[in-house]
Amino acid sequence: MNDDLRRFSIPHRDTKRWKELYNKRTSVERVFARLKENLTVNQLHIRGIQKVKTQVFLNLCILLASALAMFKASVRQRCA
């Protein structure tokens, strides 16, 4: 198992647990891509780790608020 981790992974490939972990990884990568493309996390013009953390946290709040607004709008359209 230590020879080739891609071939012998824990949990084993194509098991239910592996698929759950892979789906979580995919969704996290999708969030990172949205942060980089839409919310300009790649183009920060501030210095200091605390300021960067604050900026990224605010961007995550914006991403969450926009997803919530889109969800509420879709619910309203289904009800109408």
Side-chain angles (χ1 to χ4, degrees), residues 43-70:
Q43 302 168 355
L44 294 177
H45 299 288
I46 54 177
R47 292 186 183 187
I49 191 69
Q50 199 61 34
K51 291 179 184 178
V52 170
K53 283 182 182 180
T54 302
Q55 184 69 33
V56 171
F57 178 74
L58 291 173
N59 284 339
L60 284 169
C61 290
I62 291 168
L63 188 67
L64 185 60
S66 64
L68 187 60
M70 289 175 60

Side-chain angles (χ1 to χ4, degrees), residues 15-71:
T15 60
K16 185 177 180 182
R17 178 70 180 138
W18 184 83
K19 289 178 183 179
E20 289 172 358
L21 287 172
Y22 196 79
N23 287 339
K24 287 180 182 180
R25 175 185 170 192
T26 304
S27 62
V28 167
E29 287 179 357
R30 199 176 307 129
V31 169
F32 287 156
R34 286 183 187 142
L35 284 172
K36 290 178 182 178
E37 290 175 13
N38 300 336
L39 297 173
T40 64
V41 171
N42 275 348
Q43 302 168 355
L44 294 177
H45 299 288
I46 54 177
R47 292 186 183 187
I49 191 69
Q50 199 61 34
K51 291 179 184 178
V52 170
K53 283 182 182 180
T54 302
Q55 184 69 33
V56 171
F57 178 74
L58 291 173
N59 284 339
L60 284 169
C61 290
I62 291 168
L63 188 67
L64 185 60
S66 64
L68 187 60
M70 289 175 60
F71 176 74

